[in-house]
Amino acid sequence: QVQLVESGGGLVQPGGSLKLSCAVSGLTLDNYVITWFRQAPGKEREGVSCTDNSDGSPYYAQTVKGRFTLSRDNAKNTMYLQMNSLKPEDTGVYSCAASSIGFCTFYTGEYRYWGQGTQVTVFS
């Protein structure tokens, strides 16, 4: 049974930091692309960051580039998203998802497995 469990969300002031975790069970990180998505209230879900399995290169949405950093711990089968310099517009439910497609894509239709999400709220 495949499970993705996010954690690490919370309340933070602008300029603050959070580190999200996506603990994966039932599949191996090396064989799947794990992507972070977020959805703000009243908006469509958008891709935030993922790693291309061909060369391990991380990809970031333009809105988070330079502030967010993707990492992984293969021993723990866990992906992390370090979020720095947070802004109010970063508020939303952050979810991780797994796809066997092999390369980074923000097209949600490619992702078969999803976590339940963790809430991130950036407030003044």
Side-chain angles (χ1 to χ4, degrees), residues 99-114:
S99 169
S100 60
I101 195 171
F103 56 86
C104 179
T105 176
F106 289 156
Y107 175 54
T108 58
E110 291 291 352
Y111 292 84
R112 178 178 181 183
Y113 304 106
W114 291 81

Side-chain angles (χ1 to χ4, degrees), residues 22-112:
C22 174
V24 182
S25 59
L27 55 85
T28 303
L29 292 185
D30 284 345
N31 297 331
Y32 283 78
V33 171
I34 306 297
T35 297
W36 285 98
F37 292 88
R38 68 183 181 187
Q39 187 167 22
K43 295 187 177 181
E44 291 189 358
R45 182 176 281 163
E46 63 174 348
V48 176
S49 180
C50 56
T51 299
D52 194 303
N53 276 6
S54 62
D55 58 6
S57 299
Y59 290 87
Y60 301 96
Q62 194 63 37
T63 52
V64 306
K65 195 173 293 184
R67 300 187 296 121
F68 290 13
T69 303
L70 191 66
S71 63
R72 62 194 284 173
D73 184 334
N74 286 342
K76 295 182 178 180
N77 226 36
T78 299
M79 295 290 292
Y80 302 98
L81 186 67
Q82 177 68 47
M83 306 187 297
N84 298 329
S85 302
L86 284 162
K87 305 175 181 180
E89 51 264 43
D90 294 317
T91 293
V93 176
Y94 284 69
S95 302
C96 57
S99 169
S100 60
I101 195 171
F103 56 86
C104 179
T105 176
F106 289 156
Y107 175 54
T108 58
E110 291 291 352
Y111 292 84
R112 178 178 181 183

